[in-house]
Amino acid sequence: MDKDVHQGFETLAIHAGQEPDPVTGAVVPPIYQVSTYKQDGIGGLRGGYEYSRSANPTRTALEECLAAVEDGSRGLAFASGLAAEDALIRTVCKPGDHVIIPNDAYGGTYRLFAKVAEPWGVSFDPVPLNDVDAVRAAVRPETRLIWVETPTNPLLGIADIAALAEVARGAGALLAVDNTFASPYLQRPLTLGADVVIHSTTKYIGGHSDVVGGALVVSDAGLGERLTFHQNAMGAVAGPFDAWLTLRGIKTLGVRMDRHSANAEAVVEMLTRHKAVTKVLYPGLPEHPGHDVAAKQMKAFGGMVSFRMASEEAAVRVCERTTVFTLGESLGGVESLIEHPGRMTHASAAGSPLEVPGDLVRLSVGIEDVDDLLRDLETAFS
């Protein structure tokens, strides 16, 4: 089915790139578990396929669907979110260039810049992206990329995508938005002026904690071609089974995000009233400094919640006492997860300007019965 801008999100998620199989009529794209393809003579490719690093029909279906749900022209699927990030950096940057990143970015992103990109010759500055003037002041002549997370991981900061897009354009730089926490169901960065959308499809898009993947989506065809070249040249592509699982996850993304968001709002309401919690970080709260921007650019506020306790010991104790909330890294699956970012997902940022507070707890609120989630947290606090 060709992309139709008049079709709703759920329709695109279920049908875009996923025509019934022309031979059998199967309504789900097959898993093309194949490495190479028969050619009809030298250079006579059937459907453009020659080798599955370059293209695979199952991955093509996923990439077309990703482009449709993000309102882009080109989607690219990778073996992981960090593989997608690395491909983007090496496509648009060269040694001597400069990047602005969030001062509360995901720990893996910080590690990629600090330990891989910077030794390669790309410098970066962590900046509070909720302060547009601070971002503008951090721009240099060699700035090629402004890297945005909104909401951020794990402090749930909010950046104004449209405002930062103007800053990027004025600087001759690209604006890349990590849309993992919001998902394309809740937020469409390309429609707000971003140049590139990044996803760890492991998270909400896949949605079932059973596949690792990443994605880039762009509007500009030329940028899409450059990224496609690097995707093939570097080779960190999504395998056909991983692509199939991710595509399956996209189909239910809309209904899952509605439930994630509703459950998270109930959890936030409980946390804000609990005496053991010193602060709740959630963009849906009116007192959140990014609430108005989030309400403007997001359909709902998502399933990620962070909160602070009186001490690091108290935070660790809560993480270790839940039973419905599983202690584990990652996020965005149907099951609820709890973690201590300082000792787990963001340990790589310890001692850096991006170090997270030791008293912080992060929740990925799943789609279980909300009363069970609330009881579980109450018991862990007691």
Side-chain angles (χ1 to χ4, degrees), residues 28 56 81 91 111-112 114 129 137 141 209 216 241 255 257 282 298 305 307 313 320 348 357 382:
V28 175
N56 173 281
T91 298
R111 181 179 59 226
L112 179 62
L129 297 190
S209 300
L216 299 174
F241 186 50
V255 292
M257 292 309 298
Y282 187 67
M298 298 177 71
V305 179
F307 62 92
E313 293 71 24
E320 292 175 339
S348 61
S382 64

Side-chain angles (χ1 to χ4, degrees), residues 316 319-320 322 324-329 336-340 344:
V316 170
C319 290
E320 292 175 339
T322 58
V324 182
F325 279 88
T326 300
L327 179 64
E329 298 191 2
S336 293
L337 298 176
I338 188 170
E339 69 133 352
H340 185 269
M344 295 172 67

Side-chain angles (χ1 to χ4, degrees), residues 100-111:
I100 293 170
I101 71 169
N103 68 342
D104 55 347
Y106 165 53
T109 298
Y110 171 76
R111 181 179 59 226

Side-chain angles (χ1 to χ4, degrees), residues 194-359:
D195 298 289
V196 187
V197 172
I198 307 157
H199 280 286
S200 171
T201 56
T202 309
K203 312 305 194 296
Y204 284 111
I205 287 179
H208 295 79
S209 300
D210 57 6
V211 61
V212 174
L216 299 174
V217 183
V218 300
S219 293
D220 180 73
L223 178 57
E225 288 297 328
R226 292 168 59 201
L227 288 167
T228 299
F229 174 84
H230 278 81
Q231 179 195 39
N232 182 47
M234 296 168 70
V237 297
F241 186 50
D242 289 349
W244 186 88
L245 285 171
T246 305
L247 197 56
R248 183 191 63 169
I250 293 178
K251 293 175 187 291
T252 59
L253 180 60
V255 292
R256 286 188 287 107
M257 292 309 298
D258 284 339
R259 182 66 171 265
H260 283 299
S261 298
N263 281 0
E265 289 174 6
V267 167
V268 166
E269 183 180 1
M270 184 271 280
L271 292 173
T272 56
R273 293 185 281 101
H274 204 286
K275 62 183 180 181
V277 176
T278 61
K279 186 175 185 179
V280 180
L281 308 176
Y282 187 67
L285 290 170
E287 61 268 28
H288 187 287
H291 174 75
D292 290 343
V293 173
K296 177 181 66 175
Q297 65 189 22
M298 298 177 71
K299 182 177 180 178
F301 301 105
M304 298 304 299
V305 179
S306 292
F307 62 92
R308 301 183 70 171
M309 305 280 295
S311 66
E312 182 169 352
E313 293 71 24
V316 170
R317 191 160 55 247
V318 167
C319 290
E320 292 175 339
R321 295 188 65 187
T322 58
T323 56
V324 182
F325 279 88
T326 300
L327 179 64
E329 298 191 2
S330 196
L331 58 102
V334 293
E335 68 288 313
S336 293
L337 298 176
I338 188 170
E339 69 133 352
H340 185 269
R343 298 189 184 185
M344 295 172 67
T345 54
H346 289 67
S348 61
S352 78
L354 281 75
E355 182 173 6
V356 298
D359 57 12

Side-chain angles (χ1 to χ4, degrees), residues 33 39 47 69 131 136 140 209 236 301 303 330 351 354 357 381:
Q33 194 66 48
Q39 299 185 22
V69 297
D131 185 340
R136 188 177 290 109
R140 306 177 189 173
S209 300
F301 301 105
S330 196
L354 281 75
F381 283 130

Side-chain angles (χ1 to χ4, degrees), residues 29-107:
I31 302 170
Y32 285 89
Q33 194 66 48
V34 59
S35 60
T36 193
Y37 306 81
K38 181 183 185 299
Q39 299 185 22
D40 298 322
I42 304 299
L45 308 184
R46 297 187 187 184
Y49 297 102
E50 58 181 339
Y51 186 61
S52 277
R53 185 191 68 245
S54 303
N56 173 281
T58 314
R59 193 173 89 228
T60 296
L62 171 60
E63 292 177 333
E64 289 180 1
C65 189
L66 288 166
V69 297
E70 277 288 6
D71 200 24
S73 67
R74 190 71 168 262
L76 300 95
F78 292 85
S80 70
L82 284 169
E85 293 189 9
D86 187 49
L88 174 61
I89 294 168
R90 295 182 187 275
T91 298
V92 304
C93 296
K94 63 183 186 304
D97 287 345
H98 172 253
V99 179
I100 293 170
I101 71 169
N103 68 342
D104 55 347
Y106 165 53

